[in-house]
Amino acid sequence: MAHVSPTRGDISTHPDAAEMRERYARVLGGRDVVLMDGPVFLLGLYCAASPWILHYNLSQPALAPHNLIMGVAIGLLALGFTAAPARMYGLSWAMCALGVWMIIAPWIVGTSPDTGVVLNNIIIGALAIVLGMMCALAAARSVPKP
């Protein structure tokens, strides 16, 4: 009968320890900003729903589909950050561009926006810029030096 009792030894003597450490590091590599994926997705979700949450879909009918489309775009970026982080974190700067556009959109897309609409888009835009810069800086920091 085989000896299967649990032992509490040091795993460093295991013949595959180096390979297991390398595989673990490879799997976790490039995921320095994993905590950004959730907030970016939630920001996109709020941006898409904000015209109906704040009830300005009636006062600013052009901004309702605009915020819906921008929210979907931000949410898709977040899903891309999660699904293919090595390729998508290069697009973190696109998130900053979306944030800048969200800040100026009430005056370009809307007609005489009121304070609530302007503040909503400025807050969404500022958060998009901050989260995009955090993702971009973390991605730049994780690039291996030659």
Side-chain angles (χ1 to χ4, degrees):
M1 185 182 262
H3 179 65
V4 291
S5 63
T7 60
R8 295 191 178 252
D10 186 16
I11 195 165
S12 64
T13 59
H14 191 278
D16 296 329
E19 180 185 345
M20 288 188 288
R21 281 191 196 103
E22 181 183 323
R23 186 179 306 158
Y24 184 72
R26 190 173 57 243
V27 167
L28 290 181
R31 297 297 295 156
D32 292 342
V33 287
V34 70
L35 296 177
M36 291 293 117
D37 300 349
V40 170
F41 184 75
L42 290 175
L43 179 68
L45 186 65
Y46 174 74
C47 180
S50 65
W52 293 275
I53 292 172
L54 298 177
H55 303 291
Y56 67 82
N57 57 335
L58 299 175
S59 66
Q60 294 292 323
L63 277 175
H66 169 269
N67 278 22
L68 176 65
I69 291 168
M70 294 298 290
V72 168
I74 292 171
L76 287 175
L77 274 175
L79 291 176
F81 292 161
T82 303
R87 287 190 247 160
M88 290 296 293
Y89 277 117
L91 290 176
S92 301
W93 293 107
M95 181 94 163
C96 296
L98 291 176
V100 170
W101 174 251
M102 284 300 294
I103 291 173
I104 62 173
W107 295 282
I108 295 174
V109 177
T111 54
S112 303
D114 61 354
T115 306
V117 172
V118 171
L119 281 177
N120 182 59
N121 276 26
I122 287 175
I123 291 170
I124 291 172
L127 286 172
I129 290 170
V130 168
L131 290 172
M133 287 176 61
M134 289 173 71
C135 290
L137 291 175
R141 197 179 54 214
S142 68
V143 172
K145 303 290 184 220

